[in-house]
Amino acid sequence: MPEIIKGGRITDLKPGDARVIEAAGKSIALCNLDGTFYALDNTCAHRGGPLGEGFLDGDKVTCPWHGWQYELATGRCATNPAASVARYETRIEGDEVLIVL
């Protein structure tokens, strides 16, 4: 059965922002793209940079360490398609963002 964790309130993360969530032994990058929330594994496949500390560029998050980009909808690495990160389902309940692990 999947585990559901709280990622915070909708208003905690403004459109265009990303942040790191630590829960259930995982580090997750939570991103808000124009009101749609995406959750990816926080660790860049290149050198382990924190994606949740990166910035959004269109529909991608850019690692702050070396600029590798990941598609928010799939976790696919746009810089190196052989290196993807896990993507987690998000849900909105009331004013809470939930992440399904």
Side-chain angles (χ1 to χ4, degrees):
M1 174 159 251
E3 184 173 358
I4 298 175
I5 61 167
K6 291 183 179 183
R9 293 183 151 165
I10 294 170
T11 55
D12 291 343
L13 191 62
K14 296 179 181 171
D17 285 346
R19 73 173 186 181
V20 177
I21 305 290
E22 301 285 345
K26 294 187 182 287
S27 184
I28 299 166
L30 182 63
C31 306
N32 180 345
L33 177 63
D34 298 325
T36 300
F37 291 84
Y38 296 92
L40 302 173
D41 184 74
N42 187 48
T43 307
C44 177
H46 176 235
R47 293 269 173 116
L51 297 179
E53 294 177 19
F55 60 93
L56 300 188
D57 182 15
D59 63 349
K60 297 172 185 66
V61 62
T62 301
C63 178
W65 286 6
H66 300 105
W68 279 35
Q69 291 190 312
Y70 295 84
E71 295 173 0
L72 295 173
T74 65
R76 181 183 161 275
C77 182
T79 309
N80 178 356
S84 297
V85 296
R87 181 194 172 279
Y88 305 100
E89 176 187 350
T90 60
R91 299 178 185 167
I92 305 297
E93 285 189 13
D95 67 346
E96 292 283 338
V97 179
L98 304 178
I99 302 168
V100 181
L101 302 178

